Amino acid sequence: MTADTSVKLTYLVTWREISEGLKMQMRHSPVGRWCYRVLWGLCALLALLSVANLLTRGVDAAGLEVWRLLLTACLFVIAIRWLTALALLAYARHLGEHRVTVDADGISIVSERHTHHTNWGFYGRSAESRRVFVLLTPDVWGTGVMVLPKRGLNDPLDSERLRSLITEHLAAGSPRRSARGSRSRDESLDPASNPSTERQES
C-alpha cells in the first residue's frame, strides 16, 4: 500500500523554497487569504483613486503623497514575504542538511543539529507548487508550516508517492484532529521542537 511506503528527501534549504512556502501559507490559510486580499485591495483602491484624479484634474492633482502611499503598499506586499524568508533561511542553514523520511507514521527530520518526528495529526491541509509540497496546521493562521522541496527527492517517481501519502493521511482525519494532533500542536509552540520551520522553514 502507498501508505506503508516511505519517501525520503535530502536537501539544503534555499531562500526561494522558503519564500514559496510562505506564499502558499498565505494563499491556503483563511487568515492569510484575507490579509492577502486586503493588502492587494488597498493597492487597487489607491491606484483607482490616482487614475481618477489624473483623468479628471490632471497630473498634478494626483498628489505626491498618494503615489508614495501606493508604492509603499505595493512594496510591503512583496517585501514582507521576502524578508521573512531571509530570516528563516538563517535558521534553516544553521540546522544544516535535512534528511527527511515521510511514511505512514508521519514525518521524521534529521539534520546536523536537530532530530524531530511529527505525527500526521499535527497537520490539517496541504498545498503544492512546481517546486515544493507544503503542509499546514489546521488553525486559521496555518501557523505550523512544513516545506518539502521536490528537488530533495531521490527519484522522480517519489513525487507521486509523496503526494499520495500526503493526500491519504490528511484526508484520514478532520481539520480538528484528535487529542494526538492537539498534543503535537502544543509542542510546536516551542521553536526548538521542530527544525523544519514549524514556524516556517523547511
Side-chain angles (χ1 to χ4, degrees):
M1 258 179 88
T2 304
D4 297 326
T5 303
S6 66
V7 175
K8 297 183 183 299
L9 304 92
T10 304
Y11 56 87
L12 282 170
V13 180
T14 67
W15 172 85
R16 175 172 287 184
E17 289 158 354
I18 295 176
S19 178
E20 191 153 335
L22 295 177
K23 178 173 70 175
M24 302 292 281
Q25 179 199 33
M26 177 168 277
R27 290 183 176 178
H28 291 272
S29 63
V31 172
R33 284 194 298 268
W34 182 84
C35 292
Y36 188 84
R37 290 166 183 166
V38 167
L39 288 172
W40 282 114
L42 175 62
C43 291
L45 178 61
L46 291 172
L48 183 61
L49 291 174
S50 298
V51 171
N53 277 333
L54 286 172
L55 294 176
T56 58
R57 301 178 185 176
V59 176
D60 294 336
L64 183 59
E65 292 304 318
V66 173
W67 288 107
R68 283 179 178 172
L69 184 59
L70 174 61
L71 179 61
T72 300
C74 292
L75 289 177
F76 177 77
V77 172
I78 297 170
I80 190 168
R81 187 179 78 245
W82 291 1
L83 294 174
T84 303
L86 282 174
L88 293 171
L89 179 63
Y91 173 63
R93 287 293 173 86
H94 171 71
L95 295 177
E97 183 181 72
H98 287 61
R99 295 178 296 282
V100 180
T101 301
V102 183
D103 56 26
D105 294 327
I107 301 163
S108 298
I109 305 159
V110 178
S111 70
E112 295 172 14
R113 295 181 174 86
H114 207 287
T115 300
H116 184 76
H117 177 82
T118 306
N119 296 327
W120 285 109
F122 180 77
Y123 298 106
R125 61 178 70 93
S126 66
E128 180 182 354
S129 69
R130 186 168 61 88
R131 294 187 181 89
V132 298
F133 289 95
V134 179
L135 304 179
L136 303 170
T137 48
D139 58 278
V140 295
W141 292 93
T143 308
V145 178
M146 171 79 72
V147 180
L148 300 173
K150 294 181 178 180
R151 64 179 175 82
L153 295 167
N154 297 322
D155 189 312
L157 295 177
D158 284 344
S159 182
E160 180 58 39
R161 294 165 57 202
L162 180 55
R163 186 180 299 111
S164 297
L165 275 168
I166 293 172
T167 300
E168 178 172 353
H169 288 286
L170 292 189
S174 65
R176 297 182 182 278
R177 301 262 174 174
S178 63
R180 171 185 169 190
S182 298
R183 286 194 298 270
S184 295
R185 256 195 316 275
D186 293 339
E187 291 169 3
S188 74
L189 297 176
D190 178 6
S193 70
N194 197 334
S196 65
T197 36
E198 232 89 85
R199 164 81 216 138
Q200 299 147 341
E201 168 241 321
S202 193

